[in-house]
Amino acid sequence: MIKKILNKFINNDIKEDKYAYSKDLKFGTIAKDKAPDTWVRSTCGYCGVGCGLYIGVKDGKPVRTKGDPSHPVSHGTLCPKGLTEHEMVVSSNRVSSPMIKKDGKLNAVEWDEAFTHTSNKFKEIQNKYGKNAVACISTGQFLTEDFYTLGKFVQLGLETNNYDGNTTLCMASAVMGYKQSFGSDGPPSSYEDFSYADVIMLIGANIADNHPILKLHIAKNKKITGKKPKIIVVDPRFSKTANMADVFVPIAPRSDLALINGLCYIIMEQGWEDTKFIQDKTSGYKEFRKHIMQKYPPQEVAIITGIDVKELYEIAQLYAGANSALSAWTMGVNQSSIGTDTVSAICNLALITGNLGRKGASPFSITGQCNAMGTREFGFTSSIPGYRNFANDTDRAVFADIINVPSSLIPTARGYSYPQIIDAIDRGEIKALWVTATNPLVSFPDQNKLRRALKKLDILVVQDAFMSETALEADVLFSAATWSEKEGTYTNSERRCNYAKKAVEPLGKSMSDANIVIEFSKYFEGKYELLFQNFQSSEDIFEEIKKVSAGQLCDYSGMSYKKIEELGGIQWPCNTLYPEGKKRLYTDGFECKTEDGKAKLLALDWQPLAESCNQSFPLNLNTGRTVEQWHTRTKTKTITLLNDLAPQAWIEINPLDAKKLEVESGDKITIASSRGLVDGLIVKVTQVVREGDCFVPFHFSEQLINAVTIADFDPKSFEPNFKQCAVNLYSQKHPQGIKQEEEKVVAEIAYQSTKVSQEYTVAEVIKKEN
């Protein structure tokens, strides 16, 4: 019943003010005294789809959300998280005041005490160990104005380049893959392309769970083109998205790159490539062809991927024969130790078939967080804002001139990436860490390693709106405003800059993230005057972003808050040439940022897994998300409807593995790797995973699956390989696990070596504190 009514909300079938749901899940008419007084038009703050919505406000609090029918992305629809987003703002998990840990307990303090304590500690550490002994981890959850301000202060105020974002855990491989192939980051596509493509190949992309509103754009295809597109789903797991497929490709884990190379082989072997496009728009074809034809014949690819040779030819013919083919991917590709090269391989496939710069034709990276795209452009992490290169003298000088600082202040190289920051803490090189709006004590792989490292810090500062698992461990907690309590912009997967309007005042003493940074800068002599004296509002920050981006690929110079709101978002580049934005990149003029202006065809190789299944750990673990929860549940764990739909973690196992363990759906089992162990996972026996594979969602700290995952990273993007590691499963009837009798001993050793389970959940701790 709940899901039936929820679907009505998603499809906007219920009249806007007549119905709502309460926390006891009983739907009914809204009493007049509970109906919103005003509706504020804004943008959802969860995933990278970028849906438009209205926030219903009563007595200074958000009390309802509803879809914006005029928004070009979502057309009035919202997923379950968007429908309940107002409840997140008034969560019992919110932090209303800055806090300092005293005698092992976080205590509320005034901002002056929090800033004085933290600034003194930062100065002391930098004076003793050097500027880079302080590091910061940012987020894709911030408004663009927030993380631009944060990055500017960390890099130019604190003068440390050990600064990275949690987007490295999800989008860094897409960034580096685009850079390899096109000379710059930036998805070339629009959501509109889903509505025009003849063939849509979804690779490691479970959009039905993770980006459900995108299904609307696929659904429009038949009405627009007159025929239903052929949908190819490439995934080792038969996800909800696979139900949409005309062709489901159940590849072996982490074999995407070999599959794509094999398709390229067949296309070139059969003469199905677009020779004119290759000649006019690409470089490196001769070397690329030689590499593919020597190393990736279909017979070899079939062995690697587990896909029959005949099926490989059918897929290649379907893709190459399309007038417009769209390849889209998310974490199944990115979260891999060969993620960067897999992204570029997908670009190779598009390039040899001419699928770029046209309606329905593109390699399309779909981002995870609401502003993962914005942080790539202006976050100051892997590049200077505006897609400038730290190592380029001209880029540094131009940027310094725009923001009126000495060019010597601009870093000449990127500092440590997120995983490198953790390693440097473990070595004792970094002594202070500032974590903003992210929760590594749930989201980072190999939790045993992470927790060992964090204990070595002299100070851990956490800036968040919520009492996350990481916030509980903080020495200082900066209380931040959250979505609906501040003003600014998010940029979604299709490069659409959306306006997020402030609807209510921040909770308690909390401030917007940008204001926290600006006020904190005043405790460092001369930094506020140098960096922020012109930042009197979020719009002032956006004006500087526009100046920084002018003339760059990610050009925002033609935008304004008013214009963005009126148009329902604007896709960059937006300037005098494209006053209302541009739907696709690499079209007229072919704007690649390579030396010769052409896209690069790259010779890239599949690599076997760093940790293969073995007798001790004979199964492969895949982790991922579910539509009802968000990331580490920092925002969603107190929302009743979402928790009733997905209250705890589960493990999907094949019936053959269930038979070996003598378990049924609903039973509880244990999972372990050589790094750690997780108890109490609820069994779901299902054919969606093959024998020898299992799947667990990563959201739940109570069943902390990242206690098990491996610290294996892409050497180019530094993104973790979350999707594959060797594990074993243990049931009450088979405590020794699958295959080997001695596995019980191995599991017990792993458990004793990690001890990552928490004594209390965050909710229980908050209850105790109150």
Side-chain angles (χ1 to χ4, degrees), residues 136-140 163-176 331 334-336 340 369 372 375-376 381-382 414-421 438 443-445 712-714 716-722:
C136 182
I137 296 171
S138 181
T139 179
Y163 174 61
D164 200 11
N166 67 8
T167 47
T168 293
L169 303 186
C170 55
M171 297 312 306
S173 294
V175 173
M176 294 306 297
M331 303 314 151
N334 293 337
Q335 290 178 335
S336 162
T340 296
Q369 298 183 71
T375 193
R376 288 152 67 170
T381 52
S382 62
R414 176 185 179 172
Y416 288 147
S417 67
Y418 189 164
Q420 290 174 321
I421 287 172
T438 189
S443 60
F444 199 77
D712 181 32
F713 302 93
D714 184 309
K716 296 178 180 179
S717 69
F718 307 106
E719 186 156 343
N721 197 100
F722 279 120

Side-chain angles (χ1 to χ4, degrees), residues 552-610:
Q552 299 297 105
L553 183 65
C554 55
D555 194 339
Y556 282 52
S557 62
M559 300 186 196
S560 68
Y561 280 0
K562 182 180 178 182
K563 188 174 180 181
I564 295 167
E565 186 175 21
E566 287 175 350
L567 295 178
I570 302 174
Q571 291 173 269
W572 62 254
C574 175
N575 45 36
T576 54
L577 186 61
Y578 305 109
E580 295 189 357
K582 194 172 191 288
K583 291 184 177 182
R584 295 168 190 86
L585 303 181
Y586 313 125
T587 53
D588 45 82
F590 212 77
E591 310 138 353
C592 272
K593 298 301 180 180
T594 55
E595 291 180 2
D596 60 4
K598 295 184 176 184
K600 295 180 180 179
L601 287 166
L602 301 169
L604 305 165
D605 279 319
W606 168 83
Q607 300 290 338
L609 295 173

Side-chain angles (χ1 to χ4, degrees), residues 110-155:
E110 297 299 324
W111 279 109
D112 178 66
E113 184 177 350
F115 287 151
T116 298
H117 176 81
T118 307
S119 60
N120 286 343
K121 197 67 177 176
F122 280 11
K123 292 171 189 175
E124 175 189 324
I125 288 169
Q126 289 188 314
N127 287 337
K128 186 174 181 179
Y129 300 104
K131 298 287 189 183
N132 285 335
V134 174
C136 182
I137 296 171
S138 181
T139 179
Q141 294 288 285
F142 277 0
L143 297 162
T144 303
E145 294 78 358
D146 290 334
F147 55 61
Y148 177 78
T149 303
L150 175 65
K152 190 177 181 183
F153 176 62
V154 171
Q155 297 268 18

